Amino acid sequence: MTWLTTPAHHRWLESETDRLLAFGHAAADPAGGFTRLDDDGHPVDGPWELWITCRMTHVYALGALLGRPGCAPLADHGLRAITGVFQDSEHGGWFTEAGPQGAVDDTKGAYPHAFVVLAAASATAAGRPGAADLLRRALEVSEQRFWDEEAGMVVESWDRGFGTLDPYRGVNATMHTVEAYLTAADVTGERIWLDRAVRMITRVVHGFARGNDWRIPEHFDSGWNADLEYNADSPAHPFRPYGATIGHWLEWGRLTLHARAAITAAGDVAPAWMLDDAIALFDAAVREGWAVDGAPGFVYTVDWSGRPVVRERMHWVVAEGIAVAAALHAATGDERFDHWYATWWDYAEEFLIDRDGGSWWHELGTDNRLSRTVWAGKADLYHAVQATLIPRLPLTPVLAPALARGLLD
């Protein structure tokens, strides 16, 4: 019997979900959105960030679907912030950052807008008031402002009035749009969102990744030509680091498996490459990212020959490793994925899970002690909570709609 099929392990996962949900309650600012939290779970001063507010709204929508008291009001709090302080009633879309007096950063980015779609879709699945209307509007903005039909990808960032488009293109925003569209497809029943997610996965995974020894280029110009030296002088950037990001290989692999399962569930035949490429991304991440410098843990980034660049260990990478190992085990039944799944939970328990202060440490150094090179504090719960739920859910539908349909194992 593997961990992934053990009821006792599932009970442990459930307890960890609840522990994480309890930690995040303090992030809800009565004056607006969700704040970042520090090491001890106290709110951090500063503007509310759209991506954090949306991710926490998504998480507490999942909590509401789990029947956890107190989670539905927190999901509603997030919805009020998204449709209130973050909403641009003049030009449409949502501000990147906001404060009590209004916009702090009024640019419109594909990355946080993807999380608006995800939050709205999850809250819709949870039956939260106003969520369905927000989802409709968020998908309209995503389609009209960020979806590039010719490229089959999303553009990156606009100014407030959607008049000037940044020439930068990136696969991080594309990746989270894939996640959002997969959720929207399940919640709305509209096939277009699955088809667009598959187009993005095909270009990034079967194109960029396969064509570059599975080291996914992250940064591109307006014509989707890779800029492999982007941010070489700022290699530890939290959103646009230099080189290839190990955690994204794991995340793209998992999203490929969700899309593959959704295609099959729709009665179509998924391309054979989807499983093959997901496995190849997983194997590359283990080979080039896991314990490559003599200590356990995934390095953050590697260069284009596979050598580590930023060696700090990020909690979200382990969470994505856990999630894709569970997904690959579900897709293949291969016990080696259960082995890695258990290995990474053991690592998380020993080094990342903070049993005293709550939540998970977001960054560790090469000695697996607390580090703050890229991340300070415990910004949000998104990756860790999902790592506790994905092993207990089918590959399709994805998280919130699966919970809404009573599919939790």
Side-chain angles (χ1 to χ4, degrees), residues 252-322:
W252 275 107
R254 175 174 63 80
L255 292 169
T256 301
L257 295 173
H258 289 308
R260 174 178 178 265
I263 292 169
T264 302
D268 298 328
V269 177
W273 64 260
M274 297 186 87
L275 179 58
D276 294 340
D277 287 12
I279 293 172
L281 283 168
F282 179 93
D283 289 341
V286 172
R287 181 175 62 250
E288 298 189 1
W290 177 255
V292 292
D293 52 8
F298 282 107
V299 298
Y300 182 37
T301 60
V302 296
D303 67 15
W304 303 112
S305 64
R307 291 189 298 264
V309 177
V310 178
R311 297 171 182 263
E312 277 71 19
R313 279 78 162 129
M314 308 300 167
H315 89 291
W316 69 266
V317 181
V318 175
E320 288 300 330
I322 288 166

Side-chain angles (χ1 to χ4, degrees), residues 31 36 44 46 102 130 199 209 236 255 305 319 331 339 349 361 367 382 397 404:
R36 294 184 183 224
V44 175
R199 285 186 67 188
L255 292 169
S305 64
H339 160 75
E349 178 63 43
W361 299 114
D367 57 0
Y382 161 79

